[in-house]
Amino acid sequence: MKVIICGAGQVGWQIARHLSGERNDVTVVDSNADLVRRATDTLDVQGIAGFASYPDVLDRAGARDADMIIAATHSDEVNMVTCQVAHSVFSIPRKIARLRAQSYLTAIYSDLYRRDHMPIDVVISPEREVADAALQRLALPAAFDTETFLQGQARLLGLTIDEGCPIVNTPLRQLTDLFSTLRAVVVGVRRDGRLFAPEARDQLFAGDSAYFVCHRDDVRRLLEILGKPHRRQERVVLVGGGNVGLMVARELESREERVRAKIIERNRKMAERAAEALEKTIVLNGDGLDAGLLAEANIERADAVLCVTDDDKTNMLAAVRAKAAGARMSIALINDPTLVNLMEPLGIDAFINPRATTVSSILRHIRHGRVRAVYSIGDAEAEVIEAEVLSTSPISGQRIRDIDFPEGVLVGAVLRGDKVQKISGSLRIEEGDLIVLFAMTKDVPEVERLLQVSIDFF
């Protein structure tokens, strides 16, 4: 597949990294020659320095025979014009644009993206992706990472293994015997900074970060087994009243189970905008690092504090201060992946990486064939992939134990009809099954071969 990626920033670079590693023909375009050079020096991609919306620049990038264009520059307008030029001049079949401004995303203006108007096939909103991720973190406060699969019937949960966890030092194969009816699989473990797919003889140790794929009805039981009681969030304090904070507050207001939310926003105009847009949420104008203002927000009674300003360091410090003042749980929005290792030492319970959520969303639409969903883990270290099994797939009709999966690939869940199957080596994969696979990034091309989707993009 020939893909043009416009924008060589964090998101564009990560998408290029994924696609080039899967033997696609990738060209990166950016007006910043240094970013283009970084991409060509570190990845197997071609690079063009120039403005992505200029027809001659796209022509040099190979737009005449491109299969897809991904517009992920920092300007909404450039992304939109780039897709228009890609359609009108070069007839590129598939166009994806990242748009931030909420006015472009309002449902009443959705006709704007019709093929005879502004021909964008997929619109990605980073703020909406981040807000959704934040709401998922709030719904499962014990998890530092979470995503849903199989039409909501399965969840990916990232859980820290504590010192007092009852299953510490127990081989994973024994857990199957101890909890025979539990529909949960350990698919990934991060230990000493390294992520890997565990084998049946491996054990979980205190301090590990483990990724589970679990049936939604068994989530609470899994948390109990791990010594992590589930609590409903009734009082939430949001530090940051921008687009993300506003989206989260609106969703919390719309729920039947009442959640008492308060927003702290430093910018007066943004605070006033939030106060006008919300009905039940209290908005406080001031600094989220101010101990007095946190006390005014009753932070000591808060079940969770969600720090979503546009500054990573502010989010981290506000999360630390709020926890010190009595908040039960803290979640911080972190753009810089090099800061993630500081989360645990600082006592921050969970983080949201906008780049990872945006990359996951874009990948979900890139893997167009039978792949239903993709979730990127860590710094693009692994993917969790949901796909439909085709009759032509090499895994169709085989038992899991007989499938020649790479070492870095594990089956997390299988949906047959409307029932999630319990994973075991004897389970036979059938045509039409929806399967969830954990795969280290280097093994993704082999996973796509096994699923027979790499030739079925268009």
Side-chain angles (χ1 to χ4, degrees):
M1 183 170 65
K2 187 170 183 178
V3 184
I4 299 173
I5 300 173
C6 301
Q10 291 184 346
V11 169
W13 188 87
Q14 287 291 354
I15 294 297
R17 175 181 169 184
H18 277 274
L19 295 183
S20 63
E22 296 162 21
R23 299 187 294 276
N24 292 290
D25 182 354
V26 178
T27 301
V28 174
V29 178
D30 200 290
S31 59
N32 186 324
D34 291 336
L35 292 179
V36 173
R37 193 175 303 111
R38 182 191 71 154
T40 55
D41 287 348
T42 57
L43 305 171
D44 183 18
V45 301
Q46 301 175 66
I48 299 291
F51 289 96
S53 57
Y54 288 6
D56 62 314
V57 172
L58 290 181
D59 202 0
R60 285 192 288 132
R64 293 189 184 278
D65 58 349
D67 300 302
M68 177 184 293
I69 189 165
I70 302 168
T73 75
H74 292 293
S75 168
D76 288 358
E77 290 72 22
V78 169
N79 293 339
M80 296 167 79
V81 173
T82 297
C83 288
Q84 181 71 68
V85 173
H87 174 80
S88 301
V89 179
F90 300 107
S91 301
I92 295 179
R94 191 160 178 82
K95 299 159 287 292
I96 297 176
R98 179 177 68 173
L99 301 181
R100 297 178 182 275
Q102 295 307 297
S103 182
Y104 290 135
L105 303 168
T106 304
I108 61 173
Y109 304 131
S110 59
D111 274 359
L112 176 64
Y113 306 112
R114 279 172 27 195
R115 294 186 71 81
D116 54 344
H117 290 166
M118 184 72 69
I120 302 175
D121 300 298
V122 178
V123 173
I124 304 294
S125 165
E127 283 82 3
R128 285 186 178 174
E129 299 294 334
V130 169
D132 288 343
L135 288 163
Q136 289 201 53
R137 301 291 192 281
L138 288 172
L140 282 168
F144 63 81
D145 200 357
T146 180
E147 184 59 84
T148 58
F149 293 92
L150 303 181
Q151 303 162 14
Q153 294 200 57
R155 274 189 176 274
L156 172 72
L157 301 175
L159 298 165
T160 301
I161 305 302
D162 301 320
E163 194 71 47
C165 177
I167 64 170
V168 164
N169 302 332
T170 304
L172 297 181
R173 65 161 62 92
Q174 289 187 22
L175 296 182
T176 303
D177 298 330
L178 290 170
F179 308 103
S180 58
T181 59
L182 181 69
R183 291 164 293 183
V185 178
V186 182
V187 293
V189 176
R190 187 185 301 282
R191 181 178 297 153
D192 299 325
R194 185 178 74 90
L195 182 68
F196 63 93
E199 298 180 2
R201 66 175 180 270
D202 286 327
Q203 304 174 28
L204 293 178
F205 299 131
D208 285 352
S209 296
Y211 288 89
F212 296 79
V213 175
C214 181
H215 190 288
R216 65 182 177 191
D217 294 340
D218 290 354
V219 168
R220 185 162 296 190
R221 185 181 172 208
L222 174 63
L223 295 177
E224 291 173 352
I225 289 170
L226 296 177
K228 296 178 179 291
H230 178 73
R231 297 190 309 269
R232 192 174 79 82
Q233 309 293 60
E234 296 180 349
R235 295 180 177 85
V236 176
V237 175
L238 305 170
V239 178
N243 288 333
V244 173
L246 198 55
M247 287 181 190
V248 172
R250 279 175 171 157
E251 174 60 28
L252 294 177
E253 282 191 348
S254 68
R255 293 182 173 178
E256 291 183 8
E257 293 182 340
R258 187 183 175 193
V259 177
R260 297 179 181 177
K262 295 179 182 177
I263 290 179
I264 299 175
E265 170 53 52
R266 186 172 186 173
N267 182 288
R268 185 169 187 83
K269 287 186 177 179
M270 291 178 65
E272 290 174 349
R273 184 193 69 160
E276 291 174 1
L278 299 166
E279 297 178 2
K280 305 172 186 176
T281 305
I282 297 173
V283 180
L284 303 174
N285 177 218
D287 191 344
L289 294 174
D290 186 321
L293 194 59
L294 288 173
E296 185 179 342
N298 293 325
I299 197 69
E300 75 281 356
R301 300 182 62 195
D303 295 307
V305 60
L306 177 62
C307 305
V308 288
T309 75
D310 57 5
D311 183 83
D312 287 357
K313 296 178 180 64
T314 297
N315 292 337
M316 293 169 66
L317 290 173
V320 170
R321 171 152 278 188
K323 278 292 289 289
R328 289 185 178 179
M329 176 194 183
S330 60
I331 305 171
L333 180 65
I334 302 296
N335 288 276
D336 184 352
T338 64
L339 297 175
V340 169
N341 290 335
L342 298 176
M343 297 297 102
E344 186 176 347
L346 291 174
I348 299 173
D349 299 290
F351 67 92
I352 303 165
N353 184 336
R355 181 185 67 179
T357 59
T358 304
V359 168
S360 294
S361 183
I362 292 174
L363 286 174
R364 186 163 60 241
H365 297 287
I366 289 176
R367 307 202 194 290
H368 185 65
R370 296 295 182 174
V371 170
R372 303 291 189 90
V374 176
Y375 186 70
S376 180
I377 289 180
D379 190 16
E381 299 159 274
E383 291 182 14
V384 181
I385 300 169
E386 175 189 326
E388 180 183 348
V389 177
L390 303 175
S391 60
T392 56
S393 168
I395 69 175
S396 180
Q398 290 201 55
R399 299 183 188 277
I400 290 178
R401 67 164 66 98
D402 299 328
I403 300 173
D404 189 21
F405 285 122
E407 286 186 5
V409 177
L410 286 175
V411 178
V414 173
L415 179 67
R416 182 168 300 151
D418 59 357
K419 184 178 179 182
V420 177
Q421 307 296 305
K422 180 166 174 56
I423 300 301
S424 68
S426 61
L427 178 65
R428 192 181 300 276
I429 304 299
E430 298 180 358
E431 176 189 355
D433 285 351
L434 293 183
I435 187 170
V436 176
L437 295 169
F438 172 94
M440 300 300 294
T441 299
K442 64 181 176 60
D443 297 315
V444 169
E446 177 63 13
V447 168
E448 292 199 323
R449 186 193 71 80
L450 290 171
L451 294 170
Q452 289 290 293
V453 296
S454 57
I455 61 173
D456 189 29
F457 276 105
F458 301 103

